[in-house]
Amino acid sequence: MPIPTIQQEELIVIDDSLRLRAYEGQFELALDWYQDPDMIYMIDGSKEPYPPEKVQRMYEYLARQGEVYFIEVWERDHWLAIGDVTFWQDDLPIVIGKEDYRGKGIGKKVLSALIQRARNLGYQKLAVQEIYDFNQPSRSLFESLGFYPTLSREKGRSYTLDLTLPLAQIQPSQFYLSQEKLDRISIDFSKQDLEPLPVKHMNGKIFFTDGHSRAFKAYQAGLSRISIYYDRDELNWDFYRYCVQACEERGIFSIADLQNHILSKEAYQLNWLDWCQREARKFGKD
C-alpha cells in the first residue's frame, strides 16, 4: 500500500538511463538477487538465501509500509531491473541486486531522488531503522548524503537526515551581514521560494556554511523553520570551526543575533571579508 493520502509515482525518472518503477507484485524479478549470500549478509546479517515465498512476503510487507520501487537501468534496448528501494519517512531500505551495478554511484542517485521526493512532500526528516556496523558501503552511502547516526541498535545504528531545522538551532559561522547584499535578495516566502541552505554537523553543533543573508531574510519574514541540506564539499573545516568560535565569542549563537551586526558595503568588506582573508592564512588557505 502506498503512503496514506499520498499518490505513489508510477515512474520517477532520474536520468536518461536510470529510473524507479513502482512495484506491482512482480516479485519474481528479484528472486536471483536474494540468492546472493554476500548481499543478504549486508541487509540481514545472515547468508541464508531467500526462498520465493520469503521474497514475496518481504515485498508484501514493504508495500504495506510505503512506496516500493524497482531500480531500473537502460541496458541496450530495454529497461533492466537491478535492485529495489522502499520509500517512507521511517526507513529507506535499498538493494542493488545485480553485482555488476554496485559501486557505480547508482544508490546515491536513487537516494538523492527520494530525498527530493521527501522535500516535495513536506517531510521534516527521514530515518533509517538500522545499518549494520559491518555494512560500510551502506554507511558511506547514507553519510555522504547527510544522514548521521543516532540510536545504537543490536548490530549497528539508526540514521537520521534532517530536511528542515528550526532557525534558532543553527549556529552562524559569520558575525556580520551586508546591508547591500540583504537589499539585493528578493524571496517570495509565501511561495516557499527559499531553497535549502547548507549546514554542517560538527562537534555536536549545526552551523551555516553559507546562506546567512537568506537565512536572515527568512528570520525577518517570521519563519521559524527552514529547509536545509548537509554540506559535503571539501571546505577548510578547521577555519569554519574557528569562525564559529569567533561568533560565539561575540555573542552570535543564532541568526537572530545578527540583527545588530549589519554593516554598509564598505564596512562589511573591512570587518568581515578582509578579516576572513587575513585569518584564513593561519589555516593554510586564503
Side-chain angles (χ1 to χ4, degrees):
M1 180 192 303
I3 301 168
T5 76
I6 302 298
Q7 179 64 46
Q8 180 173 355
E9 299 288 344
E10 293 183 8
L11 289 175
I12 297 178
V13 177
I14 298 174
D15 59 35
D16 290 342
S17 60
L18 180 64
R19 72 180 190 182
L20 305 180
R21 180 170 59 84
Y23 171 75
E24 296 178 336
Q26 55 287 61
F27 70 92
E28 297 89 352
L29 292 176
L31 292 179
D32 288 345
W33 311 339
Y34 291 94
Q35 307 309 303
D36 180 346
D38 292 331
M39 188 201 77
I40 293 170
Y41 180 67
M42 290 297 185
I43 64 174
D44 206 14
S46 73
K47 293 192 174 185
E48 189 69 29
Y50 285 20
E53 57 271 18
K54 184 172 181 177
V55 176
Q56 183 177 16
R57 288 198 307 271
M58 177 193 71
Y59 277 116
E60 289 173 350
Y61 168 78
L62 292 173
R64 290 194 299 270
Q65 306 306 313
E67 300 178 349
V68 183
Y69 295 94
F70 279 130
I71 303 167
E72 296 186 332
V73 298
W74 182 254
E75 184 70 33
R76 297 177 183 172
D77 59 351
H78 68 284
W79 287 100
L80 175 68
I82 64 159
D84 60 57
V85 63
T86 304
F87 169 76
W88 81 93
Q89 196 166 358
D90 296 325
D91 210 359
L92 268 173
I94 179 171
V95 166
I96 305 298
K98 288 190 175 294
E99 184 177 4
D100 291 346
Y101 292 90
R102 297 173 195 159
K104 298 183 180 299
I106 291 174
K108 190 169 186 176
K109 289 182 178 181
V110 168
L111 288 181
S112 295
L114 293 177
I115 289 170
Q116 185 57 52
R117 177 154 175 75
R119 291 191 188 279
N120 294 343
L121 293 175
Y123 289 175
Q124 294 186 359
K125 63 177 55 182
L126 289 172
V128 177
Q129 289 299 306
E130 183 175 15
I131 300 177
Y132 296 150
D133 288 336
F134 54 77
N135 190 347
Q136 187 58 51
S138 286
R139 290 170 56 195
S140 297
L141 168 61
F142 282 89
E143 289 174 3
S144 75
L145 292 171
F147 285 81
Y148 56 91
T150 50
L151 300 176
S152 294
R153 303 291 188 183
E154 182 180 355
K155 297 179 182 178
R157 287 180 176 270
S158 59
Y159 281 73
T160 296
L161 175 68
D162 297 312
L163 300 175
T164 73
L165 283 174
L167 261 174
Q169 291 184 10
I170 309 174
Q171 164 74 49
S173 62
Q174 71 180 61
F175 45 82
Y176 286 117
L177 295 174
S178 164
Q179 183 64 63
E180 185 264 345
K181 188 173 183 180
L182 288 171
D183 291 342
R184 285 192 282 109
I185 294 175
S186 178
I187 302 173
D188 189 342
F189 291 102
S190 67
K191 296 181 180 179
Q192 299 182 335
D193 283 348
L194 181 65
E195 294 293 322
L197 298 182
V199 301
K200 176 72 172 178
H201 194 286
M202 185 166 60
N203 296 339
K205 290 186 174 70
I206 299 175
F207 62 88
F208 286 112
T209 62
D210 196 7
H212 290 75
S213 298
R214 287 170 288 165
F216 188 77
K217 296 286 278 193
Y219 162 72
Q220 287 183 312
L223 271 68
S224 60
R225 300 185 71 94
I226 61 168
S227 295
I228 57 96
Y229 70 92
Y230 284 89
D231 199 331
R232 308 297 293 185
D233 289 345
E234 293 298 323
L235 301 178
N236 190 332
W237 296 122
D238 288 336
F239 179 56
Y240 269 92
R241 188 182 292 109
Y242 178 76
C243 291
V244 168
Q245 181 180 348
C247 288
E248 293 173 339
E249 290 172 352
R250 291 163 173 80
I252 306 297
F253 296 97
S254 74
I255 206 70
D257 294 329
L258 289 170
Q259 57 189 335
N260 295 320
H261 288 247
I262 302 173
L263 305 178
S264 67
K265 182 178 180 180
E266 295 76 15
Y268 181 75
Q269 177 70 48
L270 177 66
N271 291 283
W272 174 246
L273 297 180
D274 290 351
W275 181 91
C276 285
Q277 187 173 29
R278 183 175 63 252
E279 297 298 311
R281 294 192 186 102
K282 301 175 181 178
F283 297 87
K285 186 173 183 179
D286 293 333

